[in-house]
Amino acid sequence: MALMDAQAYRNSLKRLRPRVYALGEAIEDVVEHPLTRPHVNAAALTYELASPDPRNPLVATSHLSGSCVSRFLHIHQSRDDLVHKVKMLRMLGSQTGSCFQRCVGLDALNALYEVTWRIDDKYGTQYHENLRRHLRYLQDNDLMSDGAMTDPKGDRSLPPSRQDDPDLFLRVVERSSDGIVVSGAKMHQTGAVNSHEIIALPTQAMTAEDRDWAVAFALPVDAPGISFVFGRQTNDSRRLEGSDIDQGNPLYGQVGGEALVLFDRVFVPKERVFLDGQWEFTGPLVELFAASHRQNYGGCKTGVADVLIGACALMAEINGVAKASHIRDKLVEMVHLAETLYCCSLACSYEGSRLQSGAFNVDVMLANVTKLNVTRFVYEIARLAHDIAGGLIATTPSEKDLKSESIGPLLRKYLRARADVPAEDRIRLTRLIEGMTGGTALVESMHGAGSPQAQRVMILRQCNLAAKIRLARKLAGIGAQR
């Protein structure tokens, strides 16, 4: 099968029958439902732009088949692949102003590719071959996968095997010669409801007592026993109202359409299992996935920042303050912060290295530095956006008021700034900035790919303090280095 286009992607989703719930009701069609439609649109753009041109950053040559495939289904074969990934993410972020949701599945596939190779090398299992077959299936059919890692976790002070409720971490409840049965849940799953497949991974390093929770597999989103509960987002009720202006970014929405994924005694065929009980490989799997996913944020968030910076510059023009020195200084600072994030993502890519399986992964230290910077810089960019755009972001009347026969004319009179720019244009821009700097978008920047503390732990683990101490001893003439 050739690369799908956007309409083929939408049609493929309509053929699936996932069990999706939102606001207490079932969603029958994620393509058309107002809550999920913008996220489908954002993912559809990754299909629309993936033309089979080798110069296109959205495609790559599969090392399995030699065919042109989506880069979102590609196992990195070089540093250039890592760099192209970052450039692709920035481009898509700048086109959507939102999350396009396919990164998590890409990172899950790349992490599993390496770890299944290591497991097979040690135990003579068939997980790597299972993964390769599944990858070829995804590539041949151009399918979108949701990488599902985060468990509910329950009492964070306890490992999976000591939780009061064993299902608080996804686990194997039965094994047979045909496969396994799993129960549990995965939380905060970006793009899950409009994916074709779910790839489940363990959420943390485990011990021998946690064998039943050391599991990785892939299943179609409409497999029996899987259900989705779509999460609420800031101002999502505006979609249900049918308001175009009030949504801010009506085409692509905010962030990535996260969902809670429930597994109720779900059967997984053995050929779709990539890890079952090999607990000592959960740590490396989590580390590889996390580094790969944290690489992304200096790409996609920079692309989104490109839109936000443009919106603030345009707002300054509309307000008649574009030439004010303090406005220029703030715009420069926003650009500086965004480009710093981009530098970090490129650096961890260029410093990447070949793994045992032959695939490439980013520099772990620099990938974690990238994401830790995102947890700060994106907030500062949003603060500066609020400063430039003004208080209207918090007090803009609704689209219904603007179009009201009685009060609308007065709103268009008083909410106008520059005389040659209609009030509606100013309001549309205000709503875009509001959505891009609101609660849901910022929380995802903080906790997506792990909280800031997770990055600090990895930075301390990777920084080799002992070597730095030896350097200081040598230059200071202290101890045996004298």
Side-chain angles (χ1 to χ4, degrees):
M1 177 179 175
L3 293 167
M4 278 200 286
D5 60 21
Q7 189 55 50
Y9 163 66
R10 292 187 175 92
N11 292 341
S12 69
L13 293 182
K14 285 179 174 290
R15 290 192 292 270
L16 298 172
R17 292 292 180 267
R19 286 155 292 283
V20 182
Y21 301 90
L23 302 180
E25 298 180 353
I27 292 180
E28 300 298 334
D29 185 349
V30 297
V31 176
E32 301 299 339
H33 194 282
L35 287 179
T36 53
R37 183 171 56 235
H39 309 296
V40 172
N41 290 341
L45 189 67
T46 69
Y47 285 94
E48 179 182 332
L49 299 179
S51 61
D53 182 337
R55 296 169 297 180
N56 187 337
L58 272 77
V59 299
T61 300
S62 169
H63 76 292
L64 298 180
S65 66
S67 300
C68 178
V69 298
S70 168
R71 189 168 294 279
F72 286 107
L73 297 171
H74 181 56
I75 302 300
H76 310 307
Q77 300 297 299
S78 66
R79 292 184 181 90
D80 282 347
D81 276 340
L82 297 172
V83 171
H84 286 317
K85 175 190 177 188
V86 173
K87 293 183 177 181
M88 169 183 72
L89 301 184
R90 181 169 189 172
M91 185 270 284
L92 288 168
S94 70
Q95 295 298 305
T96 61
S98 185
C99 175
F100 32 90
Q101 306 146 58
R102 297 187 68 184
C103 307
V104 195
L106 168 62
D107 299 327
L109 289 168
N110 273 272
L112 281 168
Y113 193 87
E114 170 67 14
V115 172
T116 55
W117 189 94
R118 295 184 192 179
I119 298 173
D120 288 1
D121 184 58
K122 180 174 181 179
Y123 290 113
T125 48
Q126 297 296 313
Y127 295 132
H128 189 66
E129 185 57 34
N130 287 354
L131 192 280
R132 287 172 63 94
R133 282 197 300 267
H134 183 68
L135 176 62
R136 182 67 186 269
Y137 165 73
L138 296 177
Q139 291 179 347
D140 289 349
N141 293 278
D142 203 11
L143 301 180
M144 174 174 166
S145 292
D146 167 60
M149 174 168 275
T150 305
D151 290 288
K153 296 189 182 76
D155 185 340
R156 270 64 170 172
S157 69
L158 299 176
S161 55
R162 294 178 57 198
Q163 294 288 330
D164 179 63
D165 184 340
D167 290 341
L168 292 174
F169 288 77
L170 184 66
R171 66 188 179 113
V172 179
V173 295
E174 287 182 17
R175 293 180 175 88
S176 69
S177 59
D178 297 328
I180 59 176
V181 176
V182 299
S183 287
K186 292 292 183 179
M187 302 185 72
H188 322 307
Q189 295 310 302
T190 300
V193 302
N194 54 289
S195 291
H196 303 97
E197 294 268 336
I198 298 289
I199 302 176
L201 309 172
T203 196
Q204 65 186 43
M206 298 181 184
T207 66
E209 290 73 26
D210 304 319
R211 290 180 187 274
D212 289 340
W213 292 265
V215 61
F217 58 85
L219 282 174
V221 294
D222 56 357
I226 298 180
S227 301
F228 302 85
V229 184
F230 193 71
R232 297 214 65 172
Q233 296 184 351
T234 307
N235 299 329
D236 58 3
S237 61
R238 297 179 187 180
R239 299 181 190 176
L240 299 176
E241 294 168 1
S243 170
D244 181 54
I245 294 175
D246 289 347
Q247 289 185 56
N249 187 353
L251 187 58
Y252 299 120
Q254 302 171 23
V255 200
E258 286 71 28
L260 172 65
V261 187
L262 305 173
F263 298 83
D264 182 14
R265 296 190 60 82
V266 179
F267 175 71
V268 185
K270 64 179 181 180
E271 63 271 14
R272 281 176 164 263
V273 176
F274 312 128
L275 169 70
D276 178 17
Q278 293 79 18
W279 59 269
E280 69 272 32
F281 288 94
T282 55
L285 179 56
V286 171
E287 182 176 307
L288 284 168
F289 171 84
S292 185
H293 200 46
R294 289 165 189 170
Q295 169 208 23
N296 301 345
Y297 277 69
C300 62
K301 296 303 180 189
T302 304
V304 171
D306 289 336
V307 178
L308 181 58
I309 293 166
C312 290
L314 181 56
M315 182 65 81
E317 290 181 9
I318 292 173
N319 289 341
V321 296
K323 295 182 179 180
S325 60
H326 71 96
I327 296 294
R328 288 177 173 272
D329 286 345
K330 289 162 188 169
L331 289 171
V332 168
E333 181 62 10
M334 293 171 79
V335 171
H336 167 243
L337 293 169
E339 297 300 335
T340 299
L341 294 178
Y342 190 52
C343 290
C344 288
S345 274
L346 289 177
C348 73
S349 303
Y350 279 114
E351 290 295 307
S353 58
R354 189 180 298 278
L355 302 172
Q356 296 176 41
S357 63
F360 269 72
N361 197 39
V362 296
D363 181 278
V364 174
M365 163 68 90
L366 296 182
N368 279 274
V369 169
T370 301
K371 179 53 176 56
L372 188 58
N373 280 336
V374 166
T375 68
R376 300 173 181 175
F377 293 1
V378 170
Y379 278 74
E380 179 62 9
I381 291 170
R383 186 189 70 80
L384 291 167
H386 292 167
D387 191 349
I388 293 171
L392 192 61
I393 290 178
T395 62
T396 301
S398 72
E399 180 179 353
K400 290 182 179 180
D401 292 318
L402 184 67
K403 294 184 175 179
S404 163
E405 291 184 6
S406 59
I407 202 68
L410 288 175
L411 291 179
R412 288 191 288 275
K413 171 184 172 70
Y414 289 112
L415 295 182
R416 190 188 68 181
R418 223 173 62 193
D420 62 333
V421 180
E424 181 175 322
D425 288 358
R426 187 179 183 219
I427 291 171
R428 284 182 178 276
L429 197 57
T430 296
R431 290 301 190 200
L432 176 64
I433 295 171
E434 176 195 23
M436 295 183 73
T437 59
T440 306
L442 293 183
V443 169
E444 193 275 336
S445 294
M446 178 67 70
H447 290 287
S451 67
Q453 186 57 30
Q455 285 105 64
R456 290 188 176 94
V457 168
M458 287 304 302
I459 289 170
L460 182 60
R461 188 180 299 171
Q462 294 286 325
C463 73
N464 198 349
L465 275 181
K468 299 181 192 303
I469 290 171
R470 287 195 296 271
L471 293 173
R473 282 181 175 275
K474 179 180 178 181
L475 291 180
I478 297 173
Q481 301 287 344
R482 192 185 299 268

